[in-house]
Amino acid sequence: MESSHVEDDLVNILFTEAQIQERLAEMAVRIAEDYEGRDLLVVGVLRGAVMVMADLARALPRHVEMDWMAISSYGSGTKSSGVVRILKDLDTDISGRHVLVVDEIIDTGLTLSWLVNSLGTRNPASVEIATLLRKPEALSMPVEPKYVGWDIPNEFVVGYGLDFNEKYRNLRDIGTLAPHVYS
């Protein structure tokens, strides 16, 4: 979906599809260099990371194995419940593997902090994080991603996998959602 289809719902466009693709390609080069000669398992966090995971994996100039997890720290609404649940676990044994968790955004850090700790108990060779966006002002849990596309202000953003009530995920750009939409 093009931004012009929902322009009244957006305050501004933070990153265009072209900018996102360029940044993911840059991240892919660095990831490929860092994992040269190592067996890499890329783990996407459903549902938001689908776009990032697909485009990042296609930009990698090497073979990677992919798997998916679905985890949730949200109850009803937009506030975190503080309780993290696995909704879909990995199908792959990660023992001795280099794992790169891919997510679209780090907001409070609660979910990813819990996930990295949980994966660490499964005896991987390493666990690192790649995220397209990070909101440093919103962090409440320590999370240190190895790869970050951009740091952004603590605003409600949608597009490229990011949603509001399951809408806007298929927006090609990333934009700030207008308050009248979620108020």
Side-chain angles (χ1 to χ4, degrees), residues 29-101:
V29 168
R30 190 165 155 230
I31 291 166
E33 290 170 356
D34 290 351
Y35 288 95
E36 179 69 34
R38 292 193 259 168
D39 184 28
L40 179 60
L41 173 66
V42 183
V43 174
V45 181
L46 292 171
R47 285 178 273 209
V50 169
M51 309 296 188
V52 176
M53 177 84 155
D55 289 344
L56 180 65
R58 284 191 294 239
L60 284 166
R62 57 165 291 165
H63 294 289
V64 292
E65 187 176 340
M66 293 187 280
D67 203 343
W68 297 91
M69 288 188 81
I71 53 180
S72 174
S73 66
Y74 289 92
S76 58
T78 59
K79 297 282 187 199
S80 174
S81 65
V83 177
V84 179
R85 298 179 311 135
I86 295 177
L87 305 176
K88 186 236 177 273
D89 206 345
L90 295 173
D91 295 323
T92 308
D93 178 8
I94 66 169
S95 182
R97 305 281 307 269
H98 294 281
V99 177
L100 180 63
V101 176

Side-chain angles (χ1 to χ4, degrees), residues 82-141:
V83 177
V84 179
R85 298 179 311 135
I86 295 177
L87 305 176
K88 186 236 177 273
D89 206 345
L90 295 173
D91 295 323
T92 308
D93 178 8
I94 66 169
S95 182
R97 305 281 307 269
H98 294 281
V99 177
L100 180 63
V101 176
V102 176
D103 209 353
E104 81 282 14
I105 192 167
I106 297 175
D107 201 327
T108 64
L110 173 68
T111 305
L112 276 177
S113 175
W114 181 90
L115 178 59
V116 168
N117 287 333
S118 176
L119 293 176
T121 67
R122 301 179 190 191
N123 301 313
S126 67
V127 178
E128 298 290 351
I129 300 169
T131 185
L132 184 61
L133 304 173
R134 174 176 58 184
K135 294 182 180 179
E137 297 167 13
L139 281 175
S140 62
M141 294 292 291

Side-chain angles (χ1 to χ4, degrees), residues 1-3 13-26 55 59 132 150 160 171-174:
M1 175 171 57
E2 302 293 332
S3 297
I13 301 300
L14 294 175
F15 306 105
T16 65
E17 180 181 21
Q19 290 171 310
I20 295 166
Q21 295 304 316
E22 182 179 330
R23 186 66 184 123
L24 287 174
E26 292 167 358
D55 289 344
L132 184 61
W150 294 284
Y160 201 74
L171 181 61
R172 294 176 178 274
D173 304 324
I174 295 173

